[in-house]
Structures are given as structure tokens and as C-alpha cells.
Amino acid sequence: MIRKAFKMKVYPNSIEEYAQRHNPIWKELEEVLKKHGVHNYSIFLDRETHILFGYAELESEEKWNTIADTQICKDWWVHMAGLMETNENNSPVSTDLEQVFYLK
């Protein structure tokens, strides 16, 4: 299992809306995530900096990367685009984080 961590940024005035749209996420998106080997996916918020910290356990990076090609993922990006920093294709601006410690 691969542990993946990344950060994104939500706009300060969109924090509550961002949380509401994730609780719950679309059932179809949940199914795609699970089908592509994503487990224990969480997103945390640092309210001081508006940085979102994402953590997921993956079966493979390849499966994770193909999620972006699904229509439901692209639709989700459009749905969330006004709430956070995004790229031209509406995907969230995301930076992978490097693991420096792990306690098993």
C-alpha cells in the first residue's frame, strides 16, 4: 500500500462550502475512487493558512493517476473550481508532500 500526502488551497470565504460539498461526496465519485484502489482518503484543513492536507492510501500510483481521466472526476473539478486554487483544466493545484517520518 502506498501512502500519499498532498496539499491544496481553499479560498478563505469558501471553507464551509468546501466541507459541505464533501459531506458526502458524490456516490459515483466514491465508487470511482474505490474502483481505482483508493483507501482511507482524508482531507484536513489548516484554518490559519487555508491549506488543505490530503492523505490517501493507494494500491498504485498508476491507478490514482487514471482517476483524472474519468468524466466524474472532471465534473467534480468543475463543481469545486470556484472554491479553491485550480489549474486551467479545473483540477486543483496540488503539491505532493514528501514523507519524512513514519511510525508503523
Side-chain angles (χ1 to χ4, degrees):
M1 192 70 59
I2 299 165
R3 292 183 316 281
K4 182 171 192 68
F6 53 94
K7 66 179 181 173
M8 303 171 290
K9 190 164 189 177
V10 64
Y11 298 132
N13 61 343
S14 299
I15 293 169
E16 283 71 27
E17 182 67 21
Y18 181 91
Q20 286 176 358
R21 291 186 188 186
H22 278 79
N23 291 291
I25 64 166
W26 298 341
K27 187 69 176 165
E28 298 88 355
L29 182 57
E30 179 182 356
E31 290 169 0
V32 165
L33 290 167
K34 289 180 178 182
K35 179 181 172 187
H36 286 79
V38 179
H39 308 277
N40 296 319
Y41 189 176
S42 300
I43 300 173
F44 300 88
L45 169 68
D46 178 344
R47 285 193 177 268
E48 187 175 319
T49 64
H50 313 113
I51 297 292
L52 299 164
F53 164 74
Y55 171 83
E57 294 174 354
L58 315 177
E59 291 177 7
S60 78
E61 285 280 346
E62 293 78 22
K63 285 183 176 181
W64 170 262
N65 291 333
T66 62
I67 294 169
D69 297 328
T70 66
Q71 189 59 51
I72 193 67
C73 183
K74 292 174 185 178
D75 292 345
W76 180 259
W77 290 346
V78 169
H79 180 62
M80 299 301 288
L83 307 180
M84 60 192 307
E85 293 182 359
T86 59
N87 297 301
E88 285 186 25
N89 67 351
N90 291 315
S91 66
V93 173
S94 178
T95 304
D96 285 347
L97 299 174
E98 180 181 341
Q99 180 178 300
V100 296
F101 173 77
Y102 174 63
L103 176 66
K104 193 170 187 177

